[in-house]
Amino acid sequence: MGWGTLITRRLKVFSLALFVYFDYKAVQKRVQWVSTVKKNAIWAKTHERNARRVLNLMIELEGLWVKMGQYLSTRADVLPEPYIEVLKQLQDSLPPRPLEEVCGTIEKELGKPMRQLFATFDVDPLATASIAQVHRATLEDGREVVVKVQHDGIKEIILEDLKNAKSLIEWIAWAEPQYDFNPMIDEWCKEAPKELDFNHEAENTRTVSKNLSRKTEGGSGGVSSDVDVLIPEIIQSTEKILILEYMDGIRLHDNDSLEEYGVDKKRLVEEITRAYAHQIYIDGFFNGDPHPGNFLVSKEPPHKPILLDFGLTKRISQSMKQALAKMFLSCAEGDQVALLSAFAEMGLKLRVDMPQQSMEIASIFFRQSTTATEAKENIKALNEQRERNAKALQEKMKLNKKEVKHFNPVDAFPGDAIIFMRVLNLLRGLSASLNVRIVYLDIMRPFAESTLLGSLTRGPSTNSEWIYDSPVNSEVESKLRSLLLEMGSDKILGLQVCAYKDGKVIIDTAAGTLGKYDPRPVQPDSLFPVFSVTKGITAGMVHWLVDQGKLKYEETVADIWPKFGTNKKELIKVHHLLNHTSGLHNALGDVVKTDPMSVCDWEEMLDQIAKSTPETEPGSSQIYHYLSFGWLCGGLIEHASGRKFQEILEEAIVHPLHIEGELYVGIPPGVESRLATLTVDMEEIQKLQGIKPGPDVPPELLSGIAQMAAGVPAMFNTLNVRRAIIPAANGHLSARALARYYAALAAGGAIPPPHSSNAKPLLGSHVHTPAFPTAATSKKKKKGSAKKSSGSSSSMEKVEYAQLRTSDVDSEVSVAASGSTGGRLFSNSDSGIMDAFMGVGEYSGMIHPNGKFGLGFRRYGRSGAPPTGFGHSGMGGSNGFCDPEHGFAIAVTVNKMALGSVTRRVVRFVCEELGVPVPDEFSVSGEKGPDMVLNLAPPAE
């Protein structure tokens, strides 16, 4: 091809592009002044005339432009209908190449004359496509075949067209920044030349055929992931010639024939989708060009799909295969943490932290397909969503309208992911063109699960990495690890266990994976959501303020928090809040039920709790304050200290214990890669149906509890909730941080010696530490030393996070490693502060008679005997507690929510090995159930 021809092709492409662009811009201005009816008519005519202009040029230029037109003709879900109808003609044959050219290429490539190669050769082609022409023939041995012959000189044309397409895409991105398709064209430029070698296509076809003929089992419940498709056998190939088995079939655009043969179009597209799901998630080797021209439908029942043309086939690594599966399943589960993890693993880098928008955008690719008749509404919905996301981005980045158009939130887009999304788009277009609705999540899920769950369901006995490789601290820990292997992955998904005895670490074990769809191993510094375990942390902060002289247990809350003193709450005291006897156990229940995400608004929740009305007299009944406990104590903490809740958390607990980066109530950005993802053991949760709680269990809590438990992960796996301040239920921590906290409490606040220097990474070595501005303070009205803030605390969106300098972290770690920490959390005497924790001694009058709580902590012990320990459990099974008399503290974190059977067995085993009395709650015959069922007491007589 001469230079003159190349330049002419380029001029024609850009001339048309400019012509179409300015036509649309002119119409855009014109329709501002006409009625809606006229506007729609004008746009329809504009689309049709420009579609015909594009079609005519594509037919004239052929090559890559035909292939691009074929792709666009399948996008009925996003392109205006006139474009689909006009460009659909490209799915038919193009004008055929001369027979002399075809025969010349065959004889040159195969080295023999036509009469020696074929018994018969049809002079009229079956089809003429962008790269090749296909003829039916019969071999000398009688086999019916098709002969695919590459167009003469097409290689030079395709390579030049790629350059032109790249330039065109760059110009569009400059003129209309919101339409930046550079990553897609870059990947196409890399992959398209491979289609020009038919030996490559032949090998690809054999590989895909072999892969799809294998018998496989899906990951979930043994769901079969076998597929039922046909692929022609390869007979012979050269660089420009491909001879395949002939299969008689119907083209997908031949709707009359499909109807005549009674083809179930919905089942057809579902089977094609299954075939591609198999290629992507199981094989990691898939056809990247599934446009309608690459499929036939067999004429014989059950009318199987026939897959053709494997020139553009992509091979992806095992890690990319897992990342794509995780992306799919995270969208199915609404798990933002797993989605961001999948992005990181596949190399997709974002410039902005907007998890909700990321989830919405990613979910677009897996959404239920729309029929062609619904395409207009679908386009409208997508445009509206694009506008919402642009507005959210504008507000997040503080950009003006012009700047937001030029801002690309994606920093790096991996090529493998681009081909993957192109395939999904083509499949979606296929269903739209056949006017059927497909639920991709249901069809593709078994294949995606098999990728992630396949390596996990082998069980710990065959997976040497199931227990994280960390030093063994004691013989008890060695035995515990054997027990965990015995329990296996059936009941354990991910778990951490850390225990202290007499101030020393004796267990620090991590096992399993971070999530059902996250095969990364749990490590000692992984962060687990622990629900009501958080209450024990919050209670410790209240005790710290009492110890600092900022509060008194017998003080009236309204004297510290003036807005609280309304609606019959004037007599509620600090110890009522800690002991779950304030009567506000159902406070905000209706608010949360109406709008569950309202729990993310810290300021609003404090305002609502201040307006609430108790249901019982203070001190009369101990009824578990399952959510209200956090906002009651959180508001008390901020008003008494005049500082932010999380600032007190840092000062009172995190910094003194040197557990930076491993204990949060509301996570900061930057720790997402260490987060465990929640799932539910539904078999165990169903057992709740048989639990008969006492009459004082909040009915709002136990109503449909199994359904609630199943829905909790979906809510608490979202980053909006994980980042919120919910002091009753939103702690994210490691077991070693929690165990260190309880080891200090067991010693009356004495800080234990440094955690093991062999631990990797070192406890307290993470740089992600939140810093908060101090709230304005004002003096109390009544005599005393407590302080309150002059206004309500700011919402979580106003909280700013800062990173410690590496040098600061290193200095803190070196201090911890040197063993020179010492110090105490509390200045009160050992026995005095622990009496307050358990509500005994001088504090016994502040707790409910025979109640299961002390002041903020669940009391543990043997039936009929005084309590010997304290701590707090969390919904799903996580737990932390200590036995001061025996110098023992233990923490267990889990991400497979159940009724606590795993935790009970672990705690019972460790206690028995150490000779520590096993509290009833962890014994074989003890009470069983989630924390909201256990932590109850009857009303006072």
Side-chain angles (χ1 to χ4, degrees):
M1 182 182 294
W3 280 104
T5 304
L6 295 177
I7 292 173
T8 300
R9 289 178 70 87
R10 174 166 291 196
L11 287 174
K12 287 182 177 180
V13 169
F14 280 93
S15 296
L16 179 65
L18 285 170
F19 197 91
V20 171
Y21 177 75
F22 287 122
D23 188 9
Y24 274 107
K25 282 296 181 182
V27 172
Q28 205 172 45
K29 291 187 177 298
R30 176 185 167 195
V31 296
Q32 292 177 358
W33 316 108
V34 299
S35 66
T36 302
V37 175
K38 287 186 177 180
K39 184 185 296 185
N40 292 336
I42 291 171
W43 277 121
K45 288 182 179 179
T46 304
H47 293 322
E48 185 172 355
R49 67 171 174 267
N50 284 309
R52 294 203 173 279
R53 288 166 177 163
V54 170
L55 172 69
N56 292 336
L57 185 62
M58 286 179 168
I59 292 174
E60 178 186 346
L61 297 182
E62 297 185 345
L64 183 78
W65 301 108
V66 170
K67 187 170 286 292
M68 185 176 289
Q70 290 171 337
Y71 168 66
L72 292 174
S73 72
T74 68
R75 299 309 311 278
D77 56 326
V78 294
L79 275 181
E81 186 177 350
Y83 276 90
I84 304 303
E85 290 302 317
V86 171
L87 296 181
K88 194 182 289 184
Q89 298 174 47
L90 293 171
Q91 295 175 18
D92 298 322
S93 281
L94 297 171
R97 292 298 180 99
L99 184 62
E100 294 78 9
E101 177 189 313
V102 171
C103 293
T105 301
I106 293 173
E107 291 178 342
K108 182 178 179 182
E109 287 291 306
L110 299 180
K112 292 182 181 180
M114 293 288 291
R115 64 180 181 275
Q116 294 181 19
L117 293 170
F118 306 104
T120 63
F121 187 89
D122 289 3
V123 296
D124 295 323
L126 292 173
T128 302
S130 57
I131 291 177
Q133 188 161 294
V134 179
H135 290 260
R136 187 174 178 179
T138 307
L139 298 179
E140 290 293 330
D141 60 9
R143 284 183 292 173
E144 291 191 78
V145 298
V146 293
V147 184
K148 184 175 179 179
V149 185
Q150 189 173 121
H151 299 324
D152 189 31
I154 194 65
K155 184 174 184 178
E156 292 79 8
I157 292 174
I158 291 290
L159 295 177
E160 177 62 21
D161 288 347
L162 284 171
K163 293 178 185 176
N164 292 341
K166 172 64 175 170
S167 299
L168 181 61
I169 293 298
E170 288 176 344
W171 177 77
I172 292 173
W174 172 82
E176 300 290 335
Q178 66 270 36
Y179 299 110
D180 185 0
F181 301 110
N182 271 299
M184 181 174 288
I185 195 65
D186 288 343
E187 184 65 17
W188 207 352
C189 287
K190 186 172 72 173
E191 297 295 331
K194 296 177 183 178
E195 290 190 87
L196 300 170
D197 184 349
F198 288 174
N199 283 319
H200 180 76
E201 180 178 343
E203 187 58 35
N204 291 343
T205 305
R206 293 187 185 101
T207 300
V208 173
S209 180
K210 180 181 177 182
N211 289 342
L212 294 184
S213 65
R214 286 201 308 251
K215 296 294 181 183
T216 58
E217 290 298 319
S220 178
V223 176
S224 172
S225 55
D226 295 338
V227 296
D228 196 12
V229 297
L230 301 174
I231 298 176
E233 179 188 354
I234 299 295
I235 308 298
Q236 186 179 359
S237 69
T238 70
E239 183 181 358
K240 297 182 179 180
I241 299 295
L242 185 63
I243 302 177
L244 309 94
E245 169 192 8
Y246 172 76
M247 287 186 172
D248 191 17
I250 310 164
R251 292 201 170 274
L252 294 192
H253 67 268
D254 187 354
N255 193 61
D256 291 341
S257 295
L258 292 175
E259 294 289 342
E260 181 184 342
Y261 279 88
V263 175
D264 184 339
K265 290 185 281 187
K266 185 172 186 293
R267 180 187 171 280
L268 173 70
V269 178
E270 286 178 345
E271 202 58 49
I272 291 173
T273 303
R274 285 171 55 80
Y276 275 84
H278 193 295
Q279 292 175 63
I280 293 166
Y281 294 122
I282 294 179
D283 308 324
F285 187 75
F286 60 94
N287 183 358
D289 193 24
H291 67 77
N294 287 343
F295 299 100
L296 295 174
V297 185
S298 63
K299 293 182 178 179
E300 297 296 323
H303 306 299
K304 297 180 182 181
I306 301 172
L307 276 55
L308 309 171
D309 194 348
F310 293 89
L312 182 60
T313 307
K314 184 73 177 176
R315 185 180 298 280
I316 55 177
S317 66
Q318 178 67 20
S319 59
M320 175 58 77
K321 193 166 68 169
Q322 288 192 341
L324 292 175
K326 186 190 289 188
M327 180 176 75
F328 172 87
L329 293 168
S330 64
C331 290
E333 298 289 317
D335 185 348
Q336 296 171 355
V337 173
L339 178 66
L340 295 181
S341 171
F343 284 172
E345 289 171 31
M346 69 175 63
L348 194 159
K349 298 177 182 178
L350 302 176
R351 292 193 177 100
V352 62
D353 178 33
M354 297 177 67
Q356 182 62 40
Q357 284 70 30
S358 298
M359 175 61 74
E360 288 178 0
I361 293 169
S363 298
I364 286 174
F365 294 102
F366 307 113
R367 70 193 185 279
Q368 176 176 301
S369 69
T370 53
T371 62
T373 54
E374 298 167 333
K376 191 176 295 184
E377 285 301 313
N378 187 54
I379 294 171
K380 181 181 177 182
L382 290 176
N383 286 334
E384 289 173 351
Q385 182 172 320
R386 187 183 294 116
E387 289 174 6
R388 287 196 304 271
N389 290 339
K391 186 177 180 180
L393 178 64
Q394 184 178 347
E395 292 173 355
K396 176 83 174 179
M397 303 302 295
K398 296 179 173 59
L399 304 172
N400 59 39
K401 288 186 178 181
K402 185 176 181 180
E403 289 171 334
V404 78
K405 279 189 174 184
H406 289 80
F407 181 81
N408 187 352
V410 179
D411 186 45
F413 210 115
D416 290 346
I418 290 169
I419 296 292
F420 168 72
M421 284 183 273
R422 180 172 182 266
V423 167
L424 292 180
N425 284 333
L426 283 164
L427 291 174
R428 183 174 305 285
L430 194 64
S431 62
S433 62
L434 289 174
N435 210 33
V436 294
R437 187 180 291 104
I438 304 298
V439 184
Y440 291 100
L441 290 176
D442 292 347
I443 298 171
M444 302 180 82
R445 188 178 196 125
F447 301 92
E449 285 184 336
S450 70
T451 294
L452 286 181
L453 303 187
S455 61
L456 306 181
T457 54
R458 292 196 301 268
S461 60
T462 60
N463 190 341
S464 60
E465 296 181 356
W466 192 76
I467 290 183
Y468 187 73
D469 185 16
S470 59
V472 177
N473 295 280
S474 65
E475 184 180 350
V476 176
E477 182 168 29
S478 180
K479 293 180 178 179
L480 173 66
R481 292 185 179 186
S482 297
L483 173 67
L484 295 178
L485 287 169
E486 178 188 323
M487 295 170 71
S489 57
D490 180 43
K491 288 298 178 185
I492 299 172
L493 177 60
L495 166 145
Q496 295 169 322
V497 183
C498 184
Y500 279 72
K501 184 72 171 71
D502 300 324
K504 295 181 180 179
V505 177
I506 59 168
I507 298 172
D508 189 6
T509 288
T513 62
L514 285 176
K516 181 180 179 181
Y517 301 127
D518 190 343
R520 292 176 299 156
V522 173
Q523 300 186 30
D525 64 334
S526 298
L527 299 174
F528 280 67
V530 293
F531 293 100
S532 288
V533 171
T534 316
K535 292 182 176 72
I537 306 293
T538 303
M541 296 164 65
V542 175
H543 287 289
W544 184 82
L545 288 173
V546 172
D547 182 70
Q548 294 286 311
K550 305 290 186 182
L551 273 178
K552 292 181 181 178
Y553 298 121
E554 294 185 305
E555 203 163 5
T556 302
V557 176
D559 288 336
I560 305 158
W561 184 357
K563 287 187 178 180
F564 187 81
T566 60
N567 299 328
K568 302 180 181 180
K569 299 193 298 295
E570 296 85 351
L571 299 179
I572 295 177
K573 297 184 177 182
V574 172
H575 65 77
H576 291 136
L577 303 188
L578 291 171
N579 195 232
H580 297 263
T581 55
S582 73
L584 293 166
H585 42 277
N586 284 327
L588 305 191
D590 290 340
V591 175
V592 174
K593 188 184 297 184
T594 303
D595 180 13
M597 296 306 292
S598 64
V599 299
C600 298
D601 192 331
W602 174 244
E603 184 177 2
E604 176 63 19
M605 290 296 98
L606 292 186
D607 186 53
Q608 290 290 339
I609 205 79
K611 297 175 182 177
S612 61
T613 303
E615 296 182 21
T616 58
E617 291 294 322
S620 63
S621 298
Q622 187 181 87
I623 304 179
Y624 187 47
H625 291 37
Y626 54 99
L627 269 180
S628 57
F629 179 91
W631 295 306
L632 289 168
C633 290
L636 179 69
I637 289 166
E638 291 203 342
H639 284 80
S641 67
R643 297 163 67 189
K644 305 300 295 179
F645 175 88
Q646 289 172 302
E647 190 175 9
I648 297 301
L649 174 63
E650 296 291 307
E651 182 178 347
I653 296 173
V654 174
H655 292 316
L657 292 175
H658 296 281
I659 53 176
E660 287 84 358
E662 295 193 28
L663 192 155
Y664 297 105
V665 179
I667 62 166
V671 303
E672 291 85 358
S673 63
R674 293 192 286 127
L675 294 179
T677 301
L678 294 166
T679 189
V680 175
D681 187 337
M682 287 306 300
E683 183 180 337
E684 275 217 17
I685 294 298
Q686 292 299 331
K687 295 176 184 177
L688 285 171
Q689 309 284 354
I691 292 178
K692 303 295 183 183
D696 296 301
V697 177
E700 291 81 358
L701 179 61
L702 288 183
S703 175
I705 196 167
Q707 289 79 6
M708 181 194 75
V712 162
M715 180 176 176
F716 276 79
N717 282 336
T718 64
L719 280 178
N720 285 344
V721 174
R722 287 183 182 250
R723 291 174 177 174
I725 306 170
I726 312 174
N730 205 31
H732 286 75
L733 45 78
S734 65
R736 63 183 186 175
L738 183 62
R740 186 167 177 81
Y741 170 67
Y742 276 106
L745 298 189
I751 296 173
H755 199 78
S756 172
S757 59
N758 294 324
K760 302 296 180 187
L762 290 172
L763 179 60
S765 64
H766 283 285
V767 300
H768 293 290
T769 305
F772 306 93
T774 300
T777 62
S778 63
K779 295 184 178 180
K780 287 179 61 179
K781 292 182 179 180
K782 72 173 276 185
K783 187 177 179 180
S785 56
K787 297 180 181 179
K788 61 182 177 63
S789 68
S790 59
S792 58
S793 53
S794 60
S795 62
M796 62 167 290
E797 286 78 7
K798 296 179 182 176
V799 172
E800 296 179 356
Y801 291 93
Q803 285 192 339
L804 288 174
R805 298 188 304 275
T806 303
S807 58
D808 295 336
V809 175
D810 292 341
S811 65
E812 290 195 10
V813 173
S814 64
V815 170
S818 69
S820 59
T821 53
R824 305 179 57 83
L825 293 180
F826 308 102
S827 60
N828 198 348
S829 66
D830 295 0
S831 60
I833 194 68
M834 281 191 288
D835 285 352
F837 296 156
M838 292 193 283
V840 298
E842 65 176 293
Y843 303 96
S844 59
M846 297 182 186
I847 70 167
H848 190 280
N850 301 317
K852 297 182 179 180
F853 276 101
L855 293 181
F857 295 95
R858 176 75 156 84
R859 305 196 297 180
Y860 294 120
R862 297 291 183 90
S863 178
T868 57
F870 59 91
H872 217 295
S873 60
M875 182 171 65
S878 294
N879 199 302
F881 89 97
C882 61
D883 182 333
E885 181 180 343
H886 293 85
F888 175 68
I890 189 169
V892 181
T893 58
V894 296
N895 59 352
K896 190 172 189 177
M897 299 174 62
L899 299 186
S901 59
V902 170
T903 301
R904 283 195 302 275
R905 190 170 179 188
V906 167
V907 172
R908 188 167 64 246
F909 175 85
V910 174
C911 287
E912 290 172 348
E913 286 291 319
L914 296 174
V916 174
V918 180
D920 282 352
E921 291 77 11
F922 301 102
S923 69
V924 175
S925 59
E927 297 177 90
K928 295 172 179 62
D931 64 302
M932 71 281 287
V933 176
L934 287 175
N935 300 326
L936 301 170
E941 296 295 334

